[in-house]
Amino acid sequence: MNARRRRRGRQRAAQLLLSLMLCSGYAAAAPPHPTLRAPARSSLPRIRLIATGGTIANRAAGRLTADELLRSVPAITGIARPESEQFANAPSATLSLDQWLALARRIDQVCRDDADLSAVVVTSGTDTLEELAYFLHLTVRTDKPVVIVGAMRSPDIPGYDGGANLLAGFRVAAEPASRGKGVLVVLNDEINSAREVTKTDARRVDTFQTRGYGVLGVVDPDRVVYYRSPARRHTRRSEFDISTIKVLPRVDVALVYQGAAGDIIRSMVDQGAKGIVIAGAGAGALSGTQEEAVDDALGRHVVVVVSSRAGSGRIAASPPERAAVPIHAEDLAPLKARVLLMLALTKTRNPDDIQRMFAEY
């Protein structure tokens, strides 16, 4: 009888200890329940990391490679079968337009030719990340998720955000609901559309935001949550075929400021610009002698697009007051308008066709 009581006492003590361990966050120490097994590795999605460099890899002792980035976040192997590819390892602002074309072709190729590949994650420097992301959004023809990630702090700095952003990017890429949403930008546990996102602060980790419209979704501890989807044309529904583009035409950006002289715009035309984006004041106003220079550029068959330097807001079309009028950028910021205009000029110089593209993309 005493032996039986002692056994029961030990069993109760063991149960109490296990309950305390579970409540204290030590569930991992307990043996797994036979019916609650982790998914087989072969069932996890294959996701390729294509690294281009940037702060996320910018360690003082030498830039981290794509393989090293993956090894630095072992938790990725619990949500995907990751593989890596080193495309470049440089600051984003140093990448050339030819490299943009090559990267878009490479992503397009691996998504098209490798049926077992589920998604692609791309690392980029944050300085021009929004431009690269929008270019890929317009040119990569796939419904597979393409996710761009970066970091605001380098690996040698306390609070390095690169690992967290990379893990979040893989989680978004592995999420079935990410399919068909175009190119996604994932930093600071937020998901933004490549078309809408912009860098709003030079240093803060929450710098990438979508002004006016808000995030597409969030990356929370329990799951990836989407609240909306992009409404404009992108990726597989894009009309831009990068397989036929050998070089992107020169498109410059002219800023409007008080008393701005039009000779800068004339110089852009003289130097061979095929298109010019005006970062206009307010809803697209010009200053100084810029209006005369824009008329001159239009007369020389240079395509001019008017956008706003304000950071958000739509440029509404107005009744034409003269035969040649600039194209309106809709709600695209000047840098995004430049990306779309470069691609548009590879297909046409007809102002009506290009205005239609700005309305659709």
Side-chain angles (χ1 to χ4, degrees), residues 10 19 52 66 71 75 131 154 178 229 239 296 302 304 327 348:
R10 286 195 295 269
S19 297
T52 71
R71 288 198 299 269
E131 296 161 76
S154 65
S178 299
S229 296
E239 64 194 90
D296 182 61
V302 173
V304 179
I327 291 161
T348 182

Side-chain angles (χ1 to χ4, degrees), residues 30 122 151-152 156 190 229 232 242 288 292 316 333:
V122 180
M152 292 300 293
D156 299 323
E190 295 179 334
S229 296
R232 301 296 186 96
I242 53 172
E292 298 171 10

Side-chain angles (χ1 to χ4, degrees), residues 14 125 205 207 285 322:
V205 295
T207 177
R322 51 191 184 275

Side-chain angles (χ1 to χ4, degrees), residues 304-315:
V304 179
V305 173
V306 176
S307 63
S308 175
R309 69 180 193 184
S312 63
R314 179 174 174 268
I315 305 296

Side-chain angles (χ1 to χ4, degrees), residues 38-265:
R41 179 162 174 75
S42 60
S43 68
L44 295 176
R46 265 184 61 226
I47 299 176
R48 180 168 301 188
L49 173 67
I50 300 181
T52 71
T55 298
I56 193 171
N58 193 16
R59 185 182 54 184
R63 289 182 177 273
L64 294 171
T65 65
D67 284 338
E68 289 171 329
L69 282 169
L70 282 181
R71 288 198 299 269
S72 72
V73 191
I76 288 174
T77 59
I79 58 175
R81 288 177 289 155
E83 54 194 51
S84 64
E85 178 177 329
Q86 194 76 50
F87 177 84
N89 209 342
S92 62
T94 67
L95 294 181
S96 68
L97 296 181
D98 288 342
Q99 286 177 296
W100 275 17
L101 285 168
L103 178 61
R105 291 189 186 107
R106 180 58 182 158
I107 296 171
D108 209 38
Q109 178 187 27
V110 298
C111 288
R112 180 185 65 246
D113 297 346
D114 191 341
D116 186 50
L117 187 71
S118 296
V120 171
V121 174
V122 180
T123 61
S124 171
T126 60
D127 287 346
T128 61
L129 183 151
E130 63 191 275
E131 296 161 76
L132 171 62
Y134 187 47
F135 179 78
L136 297 177
H137 189 69
L138 295 174
T139 55
V140 175
R141 291 186 172 184
T142 184
D143 278 337
K144 294 179 180 180
V146 177
V147 179
I148 315 295
V149 301
M152 292 300 293
R153 297 169 180 164
S154 65
D156 299 323
I157 294 178
Y160 170 58
D161 55 327
N165 289 340
L166 189 60
L167 178 59
F170 267 83
R171 288 183 62 196
V172 171
E175 168 59 47
S178 299
R179 187 176 178 87
K181 286 185 169 60
V183 174
L184 304 169
V185 174
V186 177
L187 288 93
N188 200 42
D189 289 337
E190 295 179 334
I191 310 167
N192 286 280
S193 169
R195 181 188 185 274
E196 301 162 348
V197 73
T198 189
K199 187 174 183 179
T200 64
D201 192 282
R203 298 192 178 278
R204 303 286 84 80
V205 295
D206 60 348
T207 177
F208 282 93
Q209 300 177 17
T210 296
R211 290 168 168 159
Y213 309 134
V215 297
L216 294 183
V218 294
V219 187
D220 278 345
D222 59 332
R223 64 188 179 100
V224 173
V225 184
Y226 280 102
Y227 298 106
R228 64 184 184 90
S229 296
R232 301 296 186 96
R233 289 175 65 179
H234 58 75
T235 53
R236 192 172 62 83
R237 287 159 291 283
S238 173
E239 64 194 90
F240 304 117
D241 184 1
I242 53 172
S243 67
T244 64
I245 301 173
K246 293 183 171 56
V247 63
L248 290 169
R250 175 172 173 171
V251 174
D252 292 328
V253 179
L255 178 66
V256 175
Y257 48 88
Q258 201 67 42
D263 55 5
I264 297 175
I265 296 173

Side-chain angles (χ1 to χ4, degrees), residues 315-321 325-326 328:
I315 305 296
S318 55
E321 298 176 354
V325 296
H328 295 85

